[in-house]
Amino acid sequence: MSTTRVLTGITTSGTPHLGNYVGAIRPAIQASRAQGVESFYFLADYHALIKIDEPARIQRSTLEIAASWIAAGLDPDRVTFYRQSDIPEIPELTWFLTCVTGKGLLNRAHAYKASVDKNNAAQMDPDADVTAGLFMYPVLMAADILMFNAHKVPVGRDQIQHIEMARDMASSFNHRYGEHFVLPEAAIEESVATLPGLDGRKMSKSYDNTIPLFAPREQLKKLIAGIKTDSRAPGEPKDVEGSALFQIYQAFASAEETAALQQAYADGISWGDAKQVLFERIDREIAPMRERYESLLSNPQELEALLLAGAAKARAIATPFTAKLRAAVGLRDLRTQAGQSTTKASKAALPSFKQYREKDGKFYFKLVDAQGQLLLQSGGFESPKDAGQAIRSLQDGTTAVAAEQLAPGLSAATVEAALHSLREA
Ligand code: TRP
């Protein structure tokens, strides 16, 4: 089990634009082709309900985003591609996590705080127009991630806090109920530039400066003609620095092509000609995908079938895992009394490791016996991975128990005996 699980969600609240393609879709599809990774990509339609109350828009966006990813080359056999709302285990896990999450943690979430700050500035009630959905958003997102025990979560910088919160929730749950969740890490693609939009600011729906990924050829041409440039005349040398047109070109072109356009800028290419070059370059990459996209949109049963197959694949993991979590928190078949069922009896008699994070930001673990009595207490580790490593080496006996980590009054032999029983099990 040395594969890395990578998971990310796309909120179904709009139409994909070139910025989404360059910043998320294209790198994700590329990453999904690497060896040793298992990718989970999903349409976060429960998340969309937080922002949008127009049912037709949610449905349309779900269709457009699913079609975009498939048209752009995502191979649904290689990855697990599904729609969040097809996985009923997600809202169930959301509740389990809700019950181990401090309200104060959620008070500090940027998205919620931004709304409160805005209300305060307008001298309104701090929670005016804030739904509990917006408040709970980080818990739903943590459930998305933890359900599949993802190691890496590729996201934009604005989402880093949410991944940290997911880690907090995972540790709280593990601390109470045993090691069930991997602590996920945000994966920020440093090499992927953010694409400027028509007005030169970051391409974003909220600035209304986007170029839809699959705009028809004529519309693409028109939109590109509207990219903001300076007023230099044909024949005058132009600056690539700060040129949105140039930056967009760079995101699609090879190094040689980029160097050639840079030379053309120096030689005084007209803005009209430069826009034509950009248009042709983008269209060259997009045109074949556009055809597939249009055929997928007009044939929704193909996408629907594909998403349902993805959901079945996802639930092959989510359903048994949720059953385990239900048992862990005590939602159990009454016939399996604690200590009677064979698996639980042998498990209950065993010591166990618990991992958690302290206020100093470091990661710790402890070994407790079946009665919850402390046997061993670790020092602080910089990362959960380091702590996990230490646990594993204790478990498989590659490291002896360090004396300073023993609980007071216990001998190394007692703790080794506990570890031995764990290894035997
Ligand atoms: N909140 C994310 C965004 O707006 C989308 C999302 C939902 C997500 N669930 C996720 C991203 C889980 C990564 C992992 O971009």
Side-chain angles (χ1 to χ4, degrees):
M1 259 290 283
S2 63
T3 59
T4 305
R5 274 203 184 163
V6 177
L7 173 144
T8 198
I10 313 99
T11 306
T12 54
S13 56
T15 300
H17 54 67
L18 287 182
N20 300 137
Y21 175 70
V22 167
I25 302 174
R26 193 172 61 183
I29 291 174
Q30 220 143 46
S32 76
R33 296 186 177 133
Q35 293 296 318
V37 296
E38 225 186 315
S39 308
F40 292 73
Y41 298 131
F42 69 96
L43 304 157
D45 54 352
Y46 283 139
H47 283 266
L49 298 181
I50 296 168
K51 296 192 235 175
I52 300 184
D53 60 4
E54 292 164 68
R57 254 180 81 200
I58 304 254
Q59 183 188 22
R60 179 73 193 173
S61 172
T62 304
L63 177 69
E64 289 177 348
I65 294 175
S68 297
W69 281 71
I70 297 299
L74 185 74
D75 178 356
D77 290 330
R78 219 194 146 91
V79 306
T80 306
F81 186 54
Y82 56 100
R83 176 171 47 197
Q84 187 185 30
S85 64
D86 284 333
I87 319 292
E89 290 84 356
I90 299 281
E92 182 162 11
L93 177 53
T94 301
W95 181 248
F96 295 166
L97 297 175
T98 300
C99 295
V100 299
T101 303
K103 179 171 173 289
L105 182 83
L106 298 179
N107 287 340
R108 292 190 284 278
H110 299 319
Y112 169 69
K113 251 182 33 196
S115 296
V116 169
D117 290 348
K118 223 167 104 193
N119 283 332
N120 283 335
Q123 305 199 329
M124 311 234 286
D125 180 276
D127 281 328
D129 285 328
V130 175
T131 64
L134 176 67
F135 188 67
M136 294 296 296
Y137 171 125
V139 191
L140 178 59
M141 184 157 159
D144 292 331
I145 298 168
L146 302 183
M147 176 60 80
F148 299 100
N149 272 322
H151 303 96
K152 300 260 177 226
V153 186
V155 284
R157 297 195 171 280
D158 60 320
Q159 296 289 322
I160 293 178
Q161 188 195 32
H162 293 143
I163 311 301
E164 284 166 0
M165 290 182 156
R167 296 167 63 89
D168 281 336
M169 293 176 215
S171 321
S172 307
F173 191 97
N174 287 351
H175 188 47
R176 282 188 181 65
Y177 299 114
E179 289 300 304
H180 294 279
F181 296 125
V182 163
L183 306 193
E185 277 173 39
I188 307 293
E189 233 339 326
E190 303 288 354
S191 66
V192 174
T194 50
L195 208 66
L198 298 172
D199 58 359
R201 291 185 291 174
K202 176 185 176 205
M203 190 180 286
S204 158
K205 207 178 69 171
S206 39
Y207 294 147
D208 198 19
N209 64 356
T210 65
I211 301 175
L213 172 54
F214 292 120
R217 215 179 122 84
E218 278 318 303
Q219 194 197 340
L220 177 64
K221 191 166 172 160
K222 246 209 200 115
L223 285 166
I224 288 176
I227 294 174
K228 196 173 139 200
T229 56
D230 62 26
S231 56
R232 281 182 219 192
E236 269 185 82
K238 299 178 172 61
D239 258 338
V240 297
E241 193 78 31
S243 164
L245 197 158
F246 188 80
Q247 281 173 45
I248 298 173
Y249 186 75
Q250 203 165 19
F252 288 87
S254 68
E256 294 79 49
E257 290 168 323
T258 304
L261 185 64
Q262 178 152 19
Q263 187 59 49
Y265 264 56
D267 294 343
I269 188 175
S270 74
W271 286 126
D273 288 349
K275 285 174 174 173
Q276 184 63 25
V277 170
L278 174 63
F279 165 65
E280 291 298 349
R281 187 63 192 82
I282 294 181
D283 196 55
R284 197 167 98 211
E285 180 160 335
I286 300 299
M289 304 177 193
R290 188 193 290 129
E291 213 168 296
R292 175 93 170 104
Y293 178 76
E294 280 163 4
S295 111
L296 285 165
L297 281 199
S298 55
N299 182 22
Q301 58 271 32
E302 186 183 341
L303 278 180
E304 183 62 31
L306 196 146
L307 289 176
L308 291 181
K313 227 157 109 182
R315 291 193 75 196
I317 298 170
T319 307
F321 189 42
T322 302
K324 238 181 82 193
L325 297 174
R326 290 177 63 105
V329 300
L331 309 183
R332 296 175 184 159
D333 182 330
L334 296 183
R335 291 164 302 181
T336 63
Q337 287 190 28
Q340 265 186 15
S341 110
T342 49
T343 53
K344 227 154 280 148
S346 53
K347 199 156 179 232
L350 285 175
S352 60
F353 283 99
K354 308 223 183 282
Q355 248 181 294
Y356 56 98
R357 194 177 186 178
E358 283 288 29
K359 291 206 174 26
D360 63 5
K362 292 209 161 101
F363 297 86
Y364 293 79
F365 65 82
K366 59 188 180 183
L367 179 67
V368 293
D369 70 14
Q371 285 70 46
Q373 167 102 20
L374 183 70
L375 298 174
L376 185 149
Q377 162 68 63
S378 82
F381 292 88
E382 287 310 322
S383 79
K385 220 159 131 197
D386 294 341
Q389 194 80 52
I391 290 178
R392 271 189 301 281
S393 56
L394 277 172
Q395 258 168 339
D396 55 40
T398 40
T399 307
V401 173
E404 73 273 18
Q405 297 181 338
L406 297 177
L410 286 178
S411 71
T414 311
V415 176
E416 272 301 343
L419 284 169
H420 182 74
S421 69
L422 252 183
R423 283 173 213 138
E424 293 287 283

